[in-house]
Structure formats: C-alpha cells, structure tokens
Amino acid sequence: MSSASFPLGPSVVGTTYGAVYDLLDHGAKKISLFGAANNPAANSIVQLAKQALAEVNITPVNVVVGDTSTDPTLNTAAAKAVSGGTDGIVITGAPPSMAKSVPALKAQGYKGLIATIDGALPGP
C-alpha cells in the first residue's frame, strides 16, 4: 500500500451538475447558460450544464457566449441571457470575464438566481 493519498473529488463535472441542481433546488424553472468566448474550459462547462439540464428534461432558455473583445462590459450578452423569462443562470468563463458577468446581469435588472462552479469567480 502506498503512503501517497489521492482523494477523489467531484471535478468540474460534479461541480457543474451541482450548480445546475442548486438552481433547480432553489426553484429555478427557466435556466440560461452564460459563458465566455474563446475559453475551452467555459465552453465545456456550458456543454456539461446542458447535459445536466437534459437529464431532468429541461432545455436551456438561452445559451449565450459573451465576448469581451466585442462586448467589453458583457451587457449585450447579458441582455440575451436574461431574456425569455429566465429565472436561473449558470455563468462560467475566465476570471476577467467572470468578474464582469454578474454586474452585467444586474445592469439588465436581473434579480434571479445565479450559480457557477466553485473557484470560477475571482476573489473579491
């Protein structure tokens, strides 16, 4: 037996499913996915969130990929993400865009639920 220990954790799959299920557990019925362009990790999290929703027979209201090179504040992308009666949003992206996601959603008047995977948002 080795003295090395490799504890297993939920990984990005478990935390993404957890974010989706947390929204559902808190009453969200119309969930949108809000990711960042040119970020392979964010794109895979959007795909995992789609899978998690499909397992409970829910189709995302919107799947929006924001791009800070053409939409620096992400306000245009956020407006698309909150449309259609969205009451829950999974956000993902690189730390610089993640720091803009929540303010962009709030600027659209969004007051619904927001979830993300652990560690995806920068500190403050």
Side-chain angles (χ1 to χ4, degrees):
M1 177 172 212
S2 171
S3 61
S5 175
F6 299 95
L8 296 176
S11 76
V12 70
V13 175
T15 54
T16 302
Y17 272 63
V20 168
Y21 292 157
D22 193 45
L23 290 174
L24 295 169
D25 284 348
H26 284 87
K29 305 260 188 269
K30 294 183 170 188
I31 297 174
S32 289
L33 309 176
F34 187 20
N38 304 319
N39 184 323
N43 293 335
S44 62
I45 292 167
V46 166
Q47 294 307 313
L48 287 168
K50 282 182 177 179
Q51 290 173 9
L53 288 168
E55 287 189 16
V56 292
N57 298 315
I58 295 176
T59 301
V61 175
N62 302 297
V63 177
V64 179
V65 177
D67 186 345
T68 55
S69 67
T70 58
D71 182 15
T73 63
L74 293 177
N75 284 339
T76 301
K80 293 175 187 172
V82 302
S83 67
T86 296
D87 61 4
I89 297 178
V90 175
I91 59 172
T92 185
S97 64
M98 290 290 286
K100 295 177 180 184
S101 297
V102 174
L105 292 167
K106 298 292 183 184
Q108 304 309 309
Y110 182 71
K111 293 181 178 20
L113 300 167
I114 300 171
T116 190
I117 66 168
D118 184 27
L121 288 173

